[in-house]
Amino acid sequence: MYAATLAVVADWARALELPVALLQPRSADAHETPLNVRMVRRALQAKAVLAVGGGLEGYLPALQRATQGKTPIRTLLDHLRPKPDDLHIWLDLGYTRQSCEQILRWAAQDGLLGLAQRQAWRRTELLFRQLAVRMREARTTLQGKAYLAVHDAYRPLTQQLGMRSLGSLQPDHERPPSLQAFRDAIARARRARVAMVLCADESPLGATAARLLQVPLVLADTLEMPDPQRDYFTRMVGLIDALQRAI
């Protein structure tokens, strides 16, 4: 069994018919997960921990110390080419495909690559092709559209859709922006004729910006929180649909 740091990584392993347990608590997003005893125990029961790396899961050094190196921690960022400039690799279709391929290589090294996994990879390749078609369709309406986000985790996807990011209203998760910074963001958005404001959840800041700009406020899934009801591919289609509905 593998242990996955993030829900999206666990989804990729499950799509490949690999046994996996999720370390990320259901109530915590990718950036704010603290290490706890349950996570350490689950990691110790695993053949390896599958992670994004690059500092996205800040607890990985502590996890390595807690497990005393008994469970290897494998980071996908060490194997992606070219090296991503944004840690939200799951919102980039190319990096997601590379990640699945790398997980399969690890499974082969661990003696877990059998007929079921090879068949699962063929099914996963079909899902990738379907998602690529959906993105091409969406690009025809979304290309060139500008957006403002409360926290802009969307750029790996929106760049592929040809959209223009105007940055984040609240780049710092801990502190709200100053009034002047907010006014500057609104002025920048007006000059760019922003099409929408994106936020991952109900946000008074996002709602205020959308009202002032008279554009839709889009609740857009960043896929950072676990969702046991929907898998990675379903959530990606839902995110693309949410962006397209705003136009």
Side-chain angles (χ1 to χ4, degrees), residues 12 21 39 74-75 97 107 137 151 164 203 205 216 247:
W12 299 337
M39 294 163 68
R74 298 170 176 168
T75 53
R97 186 187 179 93
E137 293 171 347
H151 301 294
R164 292 187 295 132
S203 164
L205 187 63
I247 301 301

Side-chain angles (χ1 to χ4, degrees), residues 182-183 186 190 205-215:
F182 182 76
R183 286 173 174 168
I186 296 299
R190 283 179 174 146
L205 187 63
T208 301
R211 177 171 50 80
L212 291 173
L213 294 166
Q214 297 183 321
V215 297

Side-chain angles (χ1 to χ4, degrees), residues 66-79:
T67 59
Q68 299 179 341
K70 294 176 181 177
T71 303
I73 297 175
R74 298 170 176 168
T75 53
L76 290 164
L77 279 179
D78 291 337
H79 302 274

Side-chain angles (χ1 to χ4, degrees), residues 121-138:
W121 173 237
R122 287 196 286 271
R123 293 193 298 270
T124 303
E125 285 186 304
L126 177 59
L127 292 172
F128 276 122
R129 288 196 291 272
Q130 293 172 339
L131 189 52
V133 169
R134 182 68 191 89
M135 289 180 64
R136 286 196 296 271
E137 293 171 347

Side-chain angles (χ1 to χ4, degrees), residues 76-84 89 94-96 98-99 102:
L76 290 164
L77 279 179
D78 291 337
H79 302 274
L80 301 181
R81 299 293 181 270
K83 185 176 180 180
I89 59 170
Y95 286 132
T96 295
Q98 284 191 49
S99 296
Q102 183 56 45

Side-chain angles (χ1 to χ4, degrees), residues 132-176:
V133 169
R134 182 68 191 89
M135 289 180 64
R136 286 196 296 271
E137 293 171 347
R139 187 181 174 96
T140 61
T141 55
L142 291 170
Q143 187 168 12
K145 301 298 183 183
Y147 71 93
L148 190 63
V150 176
H151 301 294
D152 191 7
Y154 306 99
R155 275 175 289 186
L157 174 64
T158 56
Q159 286 175 349
Q160 293 182 310
L161 294 172
M163 300 178 71
R164 292 187 295 132
S165 171
L166 301 178
S168 301
L169 283 167
Q170 188 175 347
D172 188 333
H173 286 254
E174 301 299 325
R175 294 174 297 175

Side-chain angles (χ1 to χ4, degrees), residues 51-72:
V52 172
L56 186 136
E57 305 101 334
Y59 62 83
L60 284 184
L63 179 62
Q64 189 166 28
R65 291 192 298 270
T67 59
Q68 299 179 341
K70 294 176 181 177
T71 303

Side-chain angles (χ1 to χ4, degrees), residues 28-50:
D29 72 17
H31 302 288
E32 299 174 355
T33 302
L35 185 66
N36 59 42
V37 173
R38 181 194 64 83
M39 294 163 68
V40 174
R41 288 175 177 167
R42 188 159 286 183
L44 284 169
Q45 295 168 352
K47 185 176 289 289
V49 173
L50 309 182

